[in-house]
Amino acid sequence: MKLIFIPLFISLVLVGASFVDDSSSSDDDSSDESFISRRGFSLDKLRDLKISREAESLKGQQLIDYVNNNQNIWRARLSAKFEAMDDDVKRGMMGVNHVGNSVKARQKLGKTRFLDIQLPQNFDARQNWPNCQSIGAIRDQSSCGSCWAVGAVEAMSDRICIASGAKIQVSLSADDLLSCCTACGFGCEGGEPEEAWKFWVHDGIVTGSNYTQHQGCKPYPFPPCEHHSPKTHFQPCKHDLYPTPKCEKTCQASYTTRAYGQDKYYGKTSYAVDQSVEAIQNELYTNGPIEVTFNVYEDFLNYNGGIYFHRAGGLMGGHAVKLVGWGVDNGVDYWLVANSWNTDFGEEGLFRIVRGKDECGIESGGTAGVPDLQRSPSANEFAHPPHRHHSSHRHSHRIVRVEDDIDENAF
């Protein structure tokens, strides 16, 4: 698990600049109706796109060439790391068994969907809450299907900071959630974000940094590794999955700040996020980053920048990530997402994906919650939870308190 804070100038470049340079503009004139071009791009054309059986079966350099020759919205580059990995191991790293919220979850949706907010065209949580360092952190799940746990604790940590007015800077432990939440699933073999957020409410989660920093009560047990080898920086990932760590309800010996039971941070409520674009934007704009799930196909493993949509390759499995923003690039609406494959993946650890058509299911599996600051280890600092204002250039019809928009009966 590698935490690296992304400088503001990099985030501005990622959001504001088109990935594909103008040298490829000649492709825009392609007469092939299946070619997806940024010139005249429309969601309707993307909805009508059919992936042929031949395209679905492509692998390796043939897959890369097909993707790059049939669209110019994003670019694929062969990942030697994933290329060398057995399909069973690739699928094992996709740790979400069910993409999309369950019927039960959809019966208890967050109330921010009802807010009347004048939403900006572009939004980046890192810029909107610059004092919350965790929002810009990129973690590394290593060779473990723990994305469901990593994505959850990332968003929980961000929301604690936001709700506290940046007074609490904390990194919650993915290991604690991964190893101790028996209802969540099967640890390194996959789990359910919905249950992870319930666990935060009912059981709490202790602190824990990445493997390298080795800080907090329970730091991540697995070292960072190379997920996207053309940008060599880390050691190669294991070719087999790590076993799930044993649930240890004690802190590491070097952590003397608090005992395990006193180090717990809790959620007040957890809930599903409605799948409409506006509802997702309202939730992110009001309360901070959201954990979302989506289907990963072979082509995404080779994503190297731009605004992703599925073009070729077979289904690998479900993946959980942290949604941090949205924007528009050359007329293409996108979501801005933090992955958990370290900063060597995609756009410095992030990726952009088409917004507005539930691409790969990314809009139908949002999960979030509100922190319970009164039960946090720093509760005495928050006798009166602060109101949270957006940056002066943001506009909304009213200032929203964290508790105003949440169903108190949710979960």
Side-chain angles (χ1 to χ4, degrees), residues 201-387:
V201 172
H202 297 297
D203 294 81
I205 299 172
V206 299
T207 59
S209 72
N210 61 37
Y211 175 91
T212 305
Q213 291 178 328
H214 210 65
Q215 296 173 350
C217 177
K218 293 181 66 176
Y220 199 63
F222 309 129
C225 62
E226 181 58 72
H227 294 271
H228 200 59
S229 57
K231 303 176 183 178
T232 301
H233 183 62
F234 301 105
Q235 293 297 314
C237 290
K238 283 176 81 275
H239 289 283
D240 297 310
L241 296 179
Y242 286 107
T244 302
K246 181 181 178 182
C247 177
E248 299 283 356
K249 297 188 177 181
T250 57
C251 296
Q252 62 172 331
S254 61
Y255 184 73
T256 59
T257 304
R258 289 178 290 268
Y260 177 86
Q262 284 69 53
D263 201 55
K264 293 268 190 175
Y265 286 81
Y266 291 87
K268 180 181 291 184
T269 58
S270 66
Y271 48 89
V273 180
D274 186 72
Q275 66 182 23
S276 75
V277 168
E278 184 176 359
I280 297 168
Q281 290 175 311
N282 281 357
E283 179 62 32
L284 175 55
Y285 186 76
T286 303
N287 289 327
I290 303 164
E291 183 175 22
V292 295
T293 60
F294 71 112
N295 289 308
V296 168
Y297 293 86
E298 188 90 29
D299 58 352
F300 181 77
L301 302 181
N302 300 282
Y303 169 85
N304 197 48
I307 302 174
Y308 173 79
F309 65 93
H310 173 45
R311 192 65 185 87
L315 177 66
M316 292 289 101
H319 188 43
V321 287
K322 183 177 75 170
L323 181 67
V324 298
W326 68 80
V328 181
D329 184 352
N330 282 335
V332 183
D333 294 348
Y334 65 84
W335 297 112
L336 180 64
V337 189
N339 202 358
S340 55
W341 296 346
N342 73 51
T343 56
D344 286 351
F345 175 82
E347 297 178 333
E348 299 293 333
L350 296 98
F351 67 93
R352 291 177 288 164
I353 186 170
V354 166
R355 168 168 56 97
K357 66 169 291 290
D358 196 22
E359 181 64 32
C360 299
I362 195 136
E363 292 160 6
S364 60
T367 310
V370 171
D372 189 344
L373 299 182
Q374 301 307 310
R375 285 200 291 169
S376 77
S378 305
N380 291 337
E381 299 177 27
F382 303 100
H384 302 286
H387 287 263

